[in-house]
Amino acid sequence: MSILSAALGQWGAPVVLFSGGETRTVQAMVQPAFSKASMETKESAAGRRDLGECIYIGPPEAVLHTGDALQWQGKDFRVVRAALWHLGNNPHHCWALLVPLPGGRL
């Protein structure tokens, strides 16, 4: 078991992925996205938070693509950017930037 698999198992939550016409549930981490500059932000102890945007970190076996959708904690999101990160030649994790869907439903 990799360190990432252990972390996702301990701190991750179930996330339903809708990618390539398939539906799949994985353990992943979804957290609010923080940035230094944004047109629509809210101050917090961790910095400025873009309202609604989230970062997804999931297993490398479940690659997301721009335009895919997911559900997390009853909220629906669209993938705006995604990448498969590698350590050396080995896939390590899938990263994605998420935005809430208008109307909040798929």
Side-chain angles (χ1 to χ4, degrees), residues 36-92:
K36 293 289 181 190
S38 175
M39 294 299 289
E40 189 177 18
T41 62
K42 180 179 181 181
E43 294 292 332
S44 75
R48 291 184 179 186
R49 180 172 67 87
D50 293 343
L51 298 177
E53 290 184 345
C54 289
I55 299 294
Y56 165 93
I57 302 288
E61 304 82 31
V63 178
L64 292 173
H65 305 279
T66 300
D68 288 346
L70 63 82
Q71 290 177 329
W72 169 69
Q73 294 187 347
K75 299 174 187 161
D76 297 330
F77 294 89
R78 178 82 48 214
V79 176
V80 247
R81 279 190 301 248
L84 181 61
W85 286 72
H86 290 75
L87 284 179
N89 292 328
N90 300 315
H92 185 262

